[in-house]
Amino acid sequence: METERIGPPLLAGERETLRAFLDFHRATLALKCEGLTDEQLRRRSSPPSTLSLLGLVRHMAEVERTWFRRVIAAEDVPLVWSDSGDFQVAYDAAGADVAEAFEAWRREVEHARRIEREAESLDVTGHQARWGEDVSLRLVMVHMLHEYARHNGHADLLREAIDGTVGV
């Protein structure tokens, strides 16, 4: 499957800009994984870390699910890979099913897009139980940009170590 990555608009409102940058970063993660074998996607960065490209995909499925479905939409759904709420479980992709991981991530991205589109404004709030605080959709969108940008940096290094590919 070929990933299309569209650059964010140069002139747009706040919401459209946040939405476009988030989709740009989502596509970047997909591009970093494109064309690799299952084994390459599972390859760990360096011991003792369990970090891998597939682990990043699984982690971002959990992050999308948590911030959009659990926090903003107040859905009572568990994490995908952890019954205890431990985000670290997703990173260990040693025995993970690649198709299942990408399907879960794509499904959570679609849920997130729907929730964001249906929200009246960026001022809509949800409750972040871990913090014991209410947060705005605006904060969630910015936090998601931070998550993807940071992890896409990891993905850059992981991909280069696998086959020498740099940039996208």
Side-chain angles (χ1 to χ4, degrees), residues 26 57 60-62 64-65 68-69 75 78-81 99-115:
R26 287 167 172 151
V57 169
M60 291 312 298
E62 299 286 34
E64 295 268 7
R65 183 179 188 94
F68 288 99
R69 293 180 69 185
E75 292 180 24
L79 292 180
V80 181
W81 288 283
E100 175 189 42
F102 277 90
E103 177 54 34
W105 178 56
R106 287 184 189 104
R107 185 175 53 247
E108 294 306 326
V109 166
E110 287 309 310
H111 280 294
R113 286 179 177 141
R114 177 187 49 79
I115 290 164

Side-chain angles (χ1 to χ4, degrees), residues 40-54:
Q40 288 172 317
L41 288 167
R42 286 189 198 95
R43 188 175 299 164
R44 293 178 176 185
S45 58
S46 60
S49 176
T50 60
L51 187 64
S52 67
L53 286 168
L54 188 57

